[in-house]
Amino acid sequence: MTQEQLEAVLKQLSAKPGGDGWWTMPEGTLLGLQLAHDGVSLSVARIESLRVDGDILTARTRRETHCFSRGDVFAVTSDGGGGGEKGRRPGFG
């Protein structure tokens, strides 16, 4: 994924760039990344913030920090937010 593509996706998902270089998501929203390199795929979920430094992408979850080559990213997902239903209500209503 190119720098321009990644920034466009992050903006589309309402991520905000911070002064420290980290893109953060709105409260209650988390990111996921789909990556692949030489036929091996990796999925990283529950990402709270991202930083792009040239070709290196750093992703932080609540407990972990991951570093990847930006070129290996082929999809970005969003989980949560949107203000929809908070869960399935019991019963038929």
Side-chain angles (χ1 to χ4, degrees):
M1 188 171 281
T2 67
Q3 178 79 24
E4 294 79 22
Q5 290 171 328
L6 184 58
E7 287 182 6
V9 168
L10 290 172
K11 288 177 185 175
Q12 181 71 27
L13 297 176
S14 302
K16 303 289 182 205
D20 56 357
W22 288 92
W23 288 79
T24 56
M25 296 299 293
E27 187 68 30
T29 304
L30 299 172
L31 291 175
L33 293 177
Q34 308 298 315
L35 305 102
H37 184 81
D38 286 339
V40 178
S41 63
L42 174 67
S43 178
V44 180
R46 300 182 185 204
I47 296 170
E48 296 177 344
S49 58
L50 286 174
R51 183 170 67 188
V52 181
D53 185 18
D55 196 37
I56 302 297
L57 180 66
T58 306
R60 284 195 298 209
T61 65
R62 179 170 283 176
R63 297 184 178 138
E64 301 171 332
T65 300
H66 304 274
C67 296
F68 311 105
S69 172
R70 183 178 35 82
D72 293 339
V73 176
F74 66 88
V76 180
T77 61
S78 175
D79 182 25
E85 281 189 44
K86 298 297 180 198
R88 188 171 165 187
R89 296 185 349 227
F92 298 101

